[in-house]
Every structure is written in structure tokens, then in C-alpha cells.
Amino acid sequence: MVAVDQAVEDLVQHQNERFVDARLAQESMFLMNRFGSLASALTNGYLRDLDLKVRHYSVLSLASEEQPPTQRELSDFLVLDPSQVVALVDHLEGADLVRREPDPRDRRSKIIVPTDRGREVLLQAEAQVGAASDRLLSNLTEAEQAELQGLLRKLASR
Amino acid sequence: MVAVDQAVEDLVQHQNERFVDARLAQESMFLMNRFGSLASALTNGYLRDLDLKVRHYSVLSLASEEQPPTQRELSDFLVLDPSQVVALVDHLEGADLVRREPDPRDRRSKIIVPTDRGREVLLQAEAQVGAASDRLLSNLTEAEQAELQGLLRKLASR
DNA sequence: CGAAACCGTTGAAAATGTCAACGATTAGGG
DNA sequence: CCCTAATCGTTGACATTTTCAACGGTTTCG
């Protein structure tokens, strides 16, 4: 039903047992890195039918916030080069999911807002991302999932 | 003292406040992805003086386990294409940190083992990785850090 | 024995990340 | 009020990373 790479599927399913106890596998840095890429690979699979990747989903999601971002703000928050944001917004604009609107406060800036179609697609995308998340976190209890999310959020806040 | 990119430094230090409450910023998938890349960027900075990146460190670390890996096992565990492992091992071998040894059980395979110099460098690298980890996790308490590590490890085990 | 699978390697193509420069616009100091 | 410096989005070039197909040598297994 959902088109996920077999390789990714295997990884989520059944970790290679050989080095689970290696020193490397106990470092938070390593684990974060691994699950970061695993998370995006898995999510990309779930978003494939919508012709989106996590990057596009992220932009679309932020654009749909109450106060939509400028491209510079997207660049900062998503840690992408401004030129990458250009390409990203070009793609989304080509798919009629977002528009570039002038910033009334600064004529250099452009505010990225969703189109009606963008809002519809976002709903479907959110469902897919949720499914991917459930998949990845499936061997944690609900409480543990919440705990993990809490720790990550605390890590993100200063 | 430690050469970390200013951009990375800023990111660790002082998160952009603008979207910390956005829906996107509350999804575990997004946070994992973000901290995964942040972790490796930060660690790469700390490893720069040793002319290593996390990828090289990972190989060197696994090679120093009791039962050293073949290239195929490295490829599986690190989720890298076999051709990437070739380049990685080439580099480490060129720096006299690891050797390719024949696998007595299978002449197709090559076992990656550390040189004496590799073992020395690994010690320094581990110290740097530890420092990077402390840096990234600094706004969690010791208990929370252990908790996070535990959750990630549980996530990794099946 | 023979076909199929697997290992490491090479090389090419695609995706992603990084960087410098530009016109238009804004901000700030003298 | 100017004039310089900084910022925004954009373009284009370049480096790094990822992905894929093909290959010789080896092992597996019917």
C-alpha cells in the first residue's frame, strides 16, 4: 500500500544484530544521526505518492502557520541555504501548493503562503507523516513516545 | 579552541524562536531529523583537527571492536552504499589508521582492522566526540541525557 | 558440475550542500 | 539627509553525498 524502500523497511523492521552492542551504537550522537536519516527516509517513502519529500512538507507546514514565514525565515529554521529554499519554493509553487506574497514591511522579502490546494494536500501529508512516525516509533510505548518527544523538544528550546 | 562552524554554533546556542511552537516543530520525525544532522555537523567540527568525519570515526570505532567487521557489515550497519565504504576505507587506509585483512572464512570479504596508529587516534577521536555530545546535550540534565540515550537504544533494538 | 547469489570495486548519474556574486531594498551612523 | 553597510532573494558554479548499474572473483546450493 505504502511504497517504502525495501532497504528502509528492513532497517526499521529488523536491525542488524551484529553490532547493536558496539560502543558506537551506544553514543547518543550516533543514534540521533542514524534515526534522523532513518526518519526522513521512511517519511519520504510515505510521502512519495503526494510527490513530496520531508523538505517540501516542512515548507508547506510552516507556510500554513498563522504567521507565514519569509524565505529567509525558512532558510534559518530548516537550516537550508537560501538558494535551496528558492528551489524548494519554486517546486511547490509549480505544483500550485504555495504562493510568494510581498512582505508589506520589507519589499526585499517574500512571504510564503499556502494555496487552497496546498492546504488540502497538507492534510493528506500530515496523515502520511503521522503514519510514518507510528511506524518508526512502534516499539516504544505511548508513554515512551511522549517522553522522547518531550526530551527532543527540550533539546530544541533555549 | 575547537573549530566549529559559526552557523552550527549559533544553532546549538540559540534556536530561532520564531517557529518553536509551530506544529512542525513538535513532530518527533522532524526533531530527530534536525538533531541528527545537527549532531553530525557539530561532531564533524570537533573531529576536524583529526582529519576525520563522523563516518570515518564510525568505521574506525567498529573496526576496533572485538570482532572486526567486513566491509559489507559496515555497509549494512552504517546504512551506506558498499561503494561509499570502499572510499571510506581507502581514506582511512591511506592515513594508516586501518588495514584490510583477508577473511579466513570467505575470500570475497575483507576484514577492517585498526592499525596501532588507528587505535591511538581513536582514543583522541572518542574524546572529541564526547565533547561534542556534551555540547549538544548540555541543556538536559544528566538524568535526562541517560533517559534519551535509553529511549534511542530501545528504538534501535528489536 | 552449473546457475545463482554475494563481495568489493569502479565509474557514472542524481541529489544535496556550500559558496560567491548580483540587483533591489533597508538600516544606521555621521 | 546622505552614504555606507547589511539584508533578501536569486543565479550559477562547485564540492560532497547518495544512488545505481556493471564487473571479476568467490561462494552457495541444487
Side-chain angles (χ1 to χ4, degrees):
Chain A
M1 178 186 179
V2 174
V4 179
D5 289 329
Q6 190 55 39
V8 174
E9 192 63 29
D10 286 348
L11 252 161
V12 178
Q13 195 73 43
H14 151 70
Q15 184 72 266
N16 186 340
E17 308 282 339
R18 177 82 158 79
F19 288 103
V20 285
D21 288 324
R23 275 169 303 168
L24 183 66
Q26 315 199 13
E27 293 180 16
S28 294
M29 305 295 277
F30 173 77
L31 293 169
M32 296 240 272
N33 195 26
R34 163 184 277 257
F35 284 108
S37 49
L38 185 53
S40 54
L42 188 67
T43 310
N44 280 340
Y46 277 78
L47 287 176
R48 188 165 306 154
D49 292 345
L50 295 173
D51 195 32
L52 295 176
K53 296 195 171 187
V54 278
R55 326 156 61 81
H56 307 102
Y57 166 73
S58 299
V59 170
L60 186 53
S61 176
L62 290 172
S64 304
E65 287 291 322
E66 279 195 48
Q67 295 210 313
T70 65
Q71 292 187 198
R72 158 58 58 178
E73 287 170 329
L74 288 172
S75 163
D76 287 343
F77 191 71
L78 299 177
V79 198
L80 294 173
D81 192 86
S83 60
Q84 290 182 280
V85 175
V86 170
L88 223 37
V89 172
D90 280 351
H91 182 269
L92 289 172
E93 206 172 32
D96 188 30
L97 299 179
V98 303
R99 277 193 318 263
R100 280 180 238 241
E101 290 204 342
D103 183 341
R105 296 200 209 81
D106 186 339
R107 280 185 291 169
R108 290 170 302 179
S109 301
K110 298 176 184 176
I111 299 180
I112 308 305
V113 300
T115 63
D116 291 343
R117 185 151 177 286
R119 267 181 275 265
E120 286 176 29
V121 171
L122 177 60
L123 289 180
Q124 304 173 46
E126 283 172 340
Q128 293 299 307
V129 172
S133 180
D134 290 346
R135 182 91 185 70
L136 182 70
L137 304 177
S138 62
N139 63 334
L140 295 184
T141 66
E142 294 266 341
E144 286 170 332
Q145 294 186 20
E147 213 173 331
L148 176 60
Q149 187 194 14
L151 288 171
L152 291 174
R153 291 200 66 194
K154 177 164 185 187
L155 209 49
S157 67
R158 309 263 160 174
Chain B
M1 178 181 180
V2 174
V4 180
D5 289 330
Q6 190 55 42
V8 175
E9 194 62 30
D10 286 349
L11 251 161
V12 179
Q13 196 74 40
H14 152 70
Q15 184 71 269
N16 187 341
E17 309 283 339
R18 176 81 156 80
F19 288 103
V20 286
D21 289 325
R23 274 170 304 168
L24 182 66
Q26 315 199 13
E27 294 181 14
S28 294
M29 304 295 277
F30 173 77
L31 293 169
M32 296 240 275
N33 196 25
R34 163 184 279 258
F35 284 108
S37 49
L38 185 51
S40 54
L42 188 67
T43 309
N44 281 340
Y46 277 78
L47 287 176
R48 188 165 307 153
D49 291 346
L50 295 174
D51 194 33
L52 295 176
K53 297 194 171 186
V54 279
R55 329 156 63 77
H56 307 102
Y57 167 73
S58 300
V59 170
L60 186 54
S61 176
L62 291 172
S64 304
E65 288 290 324
E66 279 194 49
Q67 295 211 314
T70 66
Q71 293 187 198
R72 159 57 58 178
E73 287 171 328
L74 288 172
S75 164
D76 287 343
F77 191 71
L78 299 177
V79 197
L80 295 173
D81 191 86
S83 61
Q84 290 180 282
V85 175
V86 170
L88 223 37
V89 172
D90 280 351
H91 182 269
L92 289 172
E93 206 173 30
D96 188 29
L97 299 178
V98 303
R99 277 194 316 263
R100 280 179 237 241
E101 289 204 344
D103 183 342
R105 296 201 208 81
D106 186 339
R107 278 187 292 171
R108 290 171 301 181
S109 301
K110 299 178 184 175
I111 300 180
I112 308 306
V113 300
T115 62
D116 290 342
R117 185 152 178 283
R119 266 181 275 263
E120 285 176 30
V121 171
L122 177 59
L123 289 179
Q124 304 172 45
E126 283 172 340
Q128 292 300 307
V129 173
S133 180
D134 289 346
R135 182 90 185 71
L136 182 70
L137 304 177
S138 62
N139 62 335
L140 295 184
T141 66
E142 295 266 341
E144 287 169 333
Q145 294 185 19
E147 214 173 332
L148 177 60
Q149 187 194 12
L151 288 171
L152 291 174
R153 290 200 65 195
K154 176 164 185 187
L155 208 50
S157 68
R158 309 263 160 176

